[in-house]
Every structure is written in C-alpha cells, then in structure tokens.
Amino acid sequence: PMNSAHTVRIIAGRCKRSRLPVLQAPGLRPTPDRVRVTLFNWLGIDLSGWRCLDAFAGTGALGFEAASRGATQVILLETQAKVFQSLQHTQEKLALPQAQVVRQDALPYMSQAPSSSFEAVFLDPPFGAPHLQQQAVQAAIRLVVPGGFIYLESPQASSPSSLPEKLLLHRQARAGAVYFQLLKKAA
C-alpha cells in the first residue's frame, strides 16, 4: 500500500478519494489538501465546460482535481522525466481522458498557447524562483479568458497594488508558510 505521507488525495468529483503519489523530486511541493479544498470552494464544485492549465503540475493534484470535477480539458505540464511518467501513470489509472500530460516547460508552452484558451491557469512554481513566478503570471494573463482565474501559490502575499494590469485579487489565504491567491482577469 502507498504510504499516505507520500500521497495527496482528490477531494471531490468523479475520482473523489483517489490517491496521487508524491515522488521525492527536487522542488516538488504538493499543494496541501486543505489548500485545495479552499481553492475549489472558491472556484466551485462543478467545473463543467472549463479548460484548465496546470502549468507546474508536479503531483498533478490541481489539474486532476479540476478534471475530477468535470473540466472539459486539463493540460498538465511537467519537465522532470520521473515526475512526468508518474503523472502519465496517474492519468491512466484515474481514466480521465480529458487530462493531458505534456512534457514541456511552462513558460515556452504558455508563450505559444493561443490567447483566451483557458478558464483557469494554476501556477505553483518552485518557491526559490520569484522571477519565474512573475513571468508565469504575466504569461497566464493572456491565456485566460476575460473573467477567468489564475491561481498562484507563493511564499509571499500579493497586494492588489502589486498586481499586473487587468488582474484583480479575488481571494487570498495562507496555510503555514504558503500564500495562495486566486486572481481574476478583468472582464
């Protein structure tokens, strides 16, 4: 049996209670269950018709949760081979055909994706890279539809005045050392 210390679980939807493995990999820091409970309470239980991008997928907890809740399309990006294979394995096990695991770097992918192609973009970049975080948020603005959401996990809080143009601070909370924000693109 999987050691539950090294798993996270899907909270709701078709794959409710399924466990996702957490590999020992550099920079892998899964979004805690209680943070995801809060995030998806903010977004809504049913994500039918949503297209979501999980840009730094890691365990895939955010992307697979969205797919479990009915998102039409979920793209999970991961660069580390071991983690990518684990995500593919999970996707097959959960039988979520609308979830697509892509082995690609978030920024190049986001710079090439068509604009307004997602209702939500999940950003959980490595914490030691504030520059990457800013670039990812900037890239995500173009990708979300007006009124769409960008979720950001970071080691510091966002102040509404520090946000790029077009983004509103919709909700923000903190869990331990992690701040998590739901940013909304102005309609």
Side-chain angles (χ1 to χ4, degrees), residues 25-135:
L28 195 63
R29 188 184 33 73
T31 303
D33 290 355
R34 66 194 178 105
V35 170
R36 281 181 298 115
V37 167
T38 304
L39 165 63
F40 284 94
N41 285 344
W42 292 345
L43 288 175
I45 297 301
D46 183 10
L47 300 185
S48 297
W50 286 45
R51 297 157 301 166
C52 303
L53 174 65
D54 190 351
F56 301 88
T59 59
L62 293 166
F64 290 134
E65 182 76 42
S68 177
R69 291 171 186 246
T72 315
Q73 182 196 27
V74 179
I75 294 172
L76 299 101
L77 304 179
E78 180 53 56
T79 53
Q80 297 181 58
K82 220 170 53 171
V83 180
F84 171 74
Q85 282 158 354
S86 174
L87 285 168
Q88 282 187 308
H89 178 72
T90 301
Q91 190 266 346
E92 284 160 26
K93 199 180 74 182
L94 296 176
L96 291 167
Q98 73 275 45
Q100 190 189 349
V101 183
V102 178
R103 190 169 175 196
Q104 201 179 338
D105 230 343
L107 291 178
Y109 180 93
M110 291 167 78
S111 68
Q112 288 152 18
S115 52
S116 297
S117 46
F118 298 103
E119 277 65 40
V121 174
F122 303 116
L123 301 176
D124 184 7
F127 272 14
H131 190 57
L132 177 62
Q133 179 188 307
Q134 288 158 351
Q135 288 178 303

Side-chain angles (χ1 to χ4, degrees), residues 1-8 19-22:
M2 265 196 279
N3 173 353
S4 66
H6 297 294
T7 62
V8 290
R19 292 200 170 274
L20 310 178
V22 177

Side-chain angles (χ1 to χ4, degrees), residues 127-156:
F127 272 14
H131 190 57
L132 177 62
Q133 179 188 307
Q134 288 158 351
Q135 288 178 303
V137 170
Q138 219 39 75
I141 296 172
R142 190 182 62 82
L143 296 187
V144 295
V145 297
F149 293 100
I150 297 171
Y151 169 74
L152 176 66
E153 241 172 79
S154 66
Q156 69 282 322

